[in-house]
Amino acid sequence: MYRHFAPLLLLATLALAPTTVLAQEAKADAMPAWDQLTPAQRELLIAPVRDRWNREPEKRERFMAYAERWKSMPQPQRERARHGMQRWEGMTPEQREQARALFHAVRGLDKDARHDFMEKWRQMTPQQRSDWVKTHPAPERRGHD
């Protein structure tokens, strides 16, 4: 019975897709440019950065380096970075530790070796992965977040 509705559902989805994109663009366009923000709106946006800058003076040089790198990134690279940051923020501490260990393990490998390693990783059970991380921990972090 539902298979009769599938083509209609697909058609409706396709018909509404441009509307959704337009709605998102209209929402973005509805927000003013920086120069049009009120002083209170600017303050709201800047306050977290200023607070962290003042709270962590030992990291100021790194903050500036990040800002300069971000400014020089092409838009697609910025999107990938944003996506990665969102994924990282959604991880549990255990998942982050696993990600650090994996990154450390594969960072010096060539493309083929990295691919082979990740294939083996995907075939491991969660317990095997946990055991692997315990025996191959990432190096201690030096002053990073």
Side-chain angles (χ1 to χ4, degrees), residues 16-36:
L16 291 176
T19 307
T20 305
V21 171
L22 289 174
Q24 290 172 346
E25 289 175 1
K27 191 179 201 182
D29 290 341
M31 294 303 296
W34 182 264
D35 294 339
Q36 296 169 331

Side-chain angles (χ1 to χ4, degrees), residues 12-129:
T13 302
L14 291 174
L16 291 176
T19 307
T20 305
V21 171
L22 289 174
Q24 290 172 346
E25 289 175 1
K27 191 179 201 182
D29 290 341
M31 294 303 296
W34 182 264
D35 294 339
Q36 296 169 331
L37 292 173
T38 67
Q41 289 170 321
R42 290 181 190 179
E43 176 62 25
L44 183 66
L45 291 167
I46 291 173
V49 175
R50 183 184 54 241
D51 292 345
R52 188 161 181 206
W53 180 271
N54 290 335
R55 187 177 62 245
E56 303 176 46
E58 71 283 0
K59 295 183 181 178
R60 290 177 184 168
E61 190 173 333
R62 204 170 93 222
F63 294 159
M64 287 302 292
Y66 286 162
E68 289 169 4
R69 275 188 25 223
W70 185 262
K71 186 178 179 181
S72 68
M73 276 185 197
Q75 190 60 32
Q77 191 175 359
R78 285 185 187 185
E79 290 303 318
R80 285 192 307 275
R82 266 192 206 100
H83 177 72
M85 287 185 287
Q86 289 169 344
R87 285 185 59 207
W88 183 261
E89 289 169 358
M91 289 181 181
T92 65
E94 294 80 20
Q95 289 170 322
R96 288 180 181 189
E97 190 57 34
Q98 191 177 81
R100 282 188 202 101
L102 276 173
F103 175 77
H104 179 68
V106 302
R107 73 187 288 183
L109 300 177
D110 64 41
K111 186 177 180 179
D112 292 334
R114 188 169 46 246
H115 175 76
D116 292 344
F117 178 88
M118 292 309 296
E119 280 300 315
K120 290 176 187 172
W121 178 264
R122 287 182 193 98
Q123 293 173 7
M124 290 182 192
T125 66
Q127 185 59 51
Q128 289 171 324
R129 291 176 182 175

